[in-house]
Amino acid sequence: MPRFFFDRYEDGQFFQDEEGVDEADVRLAEMEAARAAFDLAEECLQEGITSVKINLRDDEELILSLEVTSNLERRG
Amino acid sequence: MTGPLATALITKLTAANILDGEDIRAIQGLPIQRRDFGPQQIIVRDGARPKECCLIAEGYAFRSKTTLDGQRQILSLHIPGEIPDLQSLHLGVMDHDLTTLTSCTLGFISHAAVNQLNRTRSNVSAALWREILIDAAIFREWIVNVGRRPGIVRMAHLLAELRQRLESIGRTTDGAFELPLTQHDLADCLGLSTVHVNRVLQELRREGLIKIDRGACHFLDKVKLEERGQFEPIYLHQHPSPKVVDAKVLF
């Protein structure tokens, strides 16, 4: 199975995936990236982080970049 | 050779049940057939109709279900001394997969032999019944964990539970325990993405609560880790129940 890496940015702060994850194919890796972006965005918002970006790559190149942003407005 | 296999079961049962000498000898006399499995091998498949139960003597196993689009949910983790498919004694067909997580030494006991044991040893019958109920209590806790807790709390809770269960059967060393789960496995236990699992493990390390080194998990601050995981071990029911006088009706 090919290995994919899911680097992430939280409000621009970079976190490199050094281990990677084995996925059967690129389609499943893209699904995982999408799930991760939304999954993390929900939790990060509770910590005041409004932007989560996942960069999916294999050993050689960037495959997909997915960003989820939240617009948080409080009254008063 | 059933000795070491029966010992795993006796260790597990006596951790939370009161058994007398006759009960122990009856378990030691069970015909248990040893089979060795490699990691990630299916022991009993969803839909199978087993005629025997599987006792884990060494290694870890898990129960899981897989959705039609191929997404796996790990339902429970199992450690030495447990019989994860004991329910097959009365439920004829498996409704999930039982799979090894690591290399495992397994002992297979025919349903006929377990039924005979239940008929003749009421304490053992009650202990097995109690194990099934504790199994259900752990399922309830996992539902809360996966359904309602934030990612980092889910992870801390899972680690605290696993450590507590392993400690009760003497499988921790200086509080550290074997954690042979990949981030993929942990994600499937916790209903999180692997990226999220990676994040929460980093966070638990950053908070100085855990260290994972060569497959062993060390709690650097057990009290704080358990607080982080909202872990209250009461649902594991690890204190022995009173001796049963007559539990023949239970099985």
Side-chain angles (χ1 to χ4, degrees):
Chain A
M1 281 203 291
R3 176 151 288 214
F4 296 94
F5 298 85
F6 300 80
D7 299 329
R8 69 178 199 273
Y9 294 82
E10 295 176 11
D11 278 350
Q13 191 179 355
F14 178 62
F15 299 90
Q16 186 167 9
D17 178 4
E18 289 168 356
E19 290 181 35
V21 175
D22 294 334
E23 296 283 1
D25 55 39
V26 71
R27 187 188 66 86
L28 283 176
E30 288 183 353
M31 281 173 61
E32 182 68 9
R35 189 163 164 240
F38 287 100
D39 188 21
L40 281 181
E42 183 184 354
E43 191 143 318
C44 284
L45 185 60
Q46 294 172 36
E47 300 169 22
I49 297 165
T50 55
S51 166
V52 172
K53 185 161 93 172
I54 304 291
N55 281 356
L56 170 65
R57 62 181 169 88
D58 60 15
D59 283 329
E60 294 172 353
E61 60 183 355
L62 181 68
I63 296 168
L64 174 106
S65 184
L66 180 72
E67 184 167 4
V68 177
T69 58
S70 309
N71 183 23
L72 181 64
E73 290 180 18
R74 282 201 179 90
R75 288 187 179 183
Chain B
M1 185 180 70
T2 63
L5 301 172
T7 300
L9 179 58
I10 292 163
T11 301
K12 179 70 176 68
L13 289 182
T14 53
N17 299 275
I18 297 168
L19 301 180
D20 63 27
E22 283 298 308
D23 298 325
I24 303 286
R25 277 188 285 282
I27 295 172
Q28 287 168 333
L30 276 172
I32 309 177
Q33 195 173 48
R34 173 181 169 152
R35 286 178 222 154
D36 294 318
F37 279 61
Q40 302 291 339
Q41 269 190 277
I42 291 188
I43 304 166
V44 198
R45 197 177 291 278
D46 194 348
R49 294 178 177 275
K51 300 287 180 221
E52 56 192 1
C53 292
C54 163
L55 162 69
I56 302 172
E58 282 297 332
Y60 290 33
F62 64 88
R63 287 190 273 182
S64 67
K65 286 183 83 81
T66 304
T67 62
L68 287 177
D69 62 351
Q71 297 196 72
R72 181 182 69 167
Q73 177 68 45
I74 292 180
L75 307 166
S76 57
L77 294 174
H78 295 281
I79 60 175
E82 294 184 347
I83 305 177
D85 62 347
L86 189 57
Q87 81 284 343
S88 70
L89 203 58
H90 294 295
L91 304 178
V93 61
M94 287 290 286
D95 52 32
H96 57 274
D97 292 319
L98 174 61
T99 308
T100 59
L101 183 62
T102 63
S103 294
C104 281
T105 300
L106 304 176
F108 289 85
I109 316 167
S110 71
H111 286 171
V114 180
N115 280 327
Q116 173 68 13
L117 181 68
N118 283 330
R119 278 194 293 272
T120 54
R121 302 305 314 166
S122 57
N123 281 333
V124 178
S125 173
L128 292 176
W129 176 227
R130 198 162 180 274
E131 289 297 306
I132 291 257
L133 295 176
I134 293 170
D135 199 39
I138 294 173
F139 272 119
R140 289 192 287 277
E141 195 65 30
W142 276 46
I143 290 170
V144 176
N145 209 36
V146 170
R148 285 289 177 257
R149 293 185 176 125
I152 194 165
V153 181
R154 289 184 210 184
M155 179 65 76
H157 191 281
L158 176 71
L159 296 176
E161 177 192 295
L162 197 51
R163 180 188 186 279
Q164 185 85 18
R165 288 167 61 194
L166 287 165
E167 191 170 50
S168 76
I169 55 165
R171 296 271 179 165
T172 56
T173 307
D174 297 328
F177 59 96
E178 189 190 356
L179 184 69
L181 290 96
T182 64
Q183 292 194 7
H184 216 306
D185 296 328
L186 288 166
D188 288 351
C189 287
L190 298 171
L192 299 172
S193 63
T194 49
V195 183
H196 201 161
V197 163
N198 185 282
R199 183 181 193 266
V200 296
L201 285 174
Q202 282 176 353
E203 183 64 16
L204 289 172
R205 285 193 195 101
R206 196 189 62 74
E207 291 180 17
L209 299 180
I210 61 164
K211 182 177 82 172
I212 297 175
D213 185 22
R214 283 172 288 184
C217 182
H218 303 254
F219 284 8
L220 303 178
D221 189 328
K222 178 174 177 278
V223 173
K224 278 191 183 159
L225 192 282
E226 290 181 351
E227 281 174 9
R228 198 75 173 93
Q230 302 172 10
F231 178 71
E232 293 288 345
I234 192 164
Y235 71 96
L236 295 173
H237 303 278
Q238 288 184 321
H239 298 291
S241 59
K243 183 175 175 176
V244 172
V245 176
D246 185 0
K248 286 176 184 162
V249 293
L250 293 174
F251 269 92

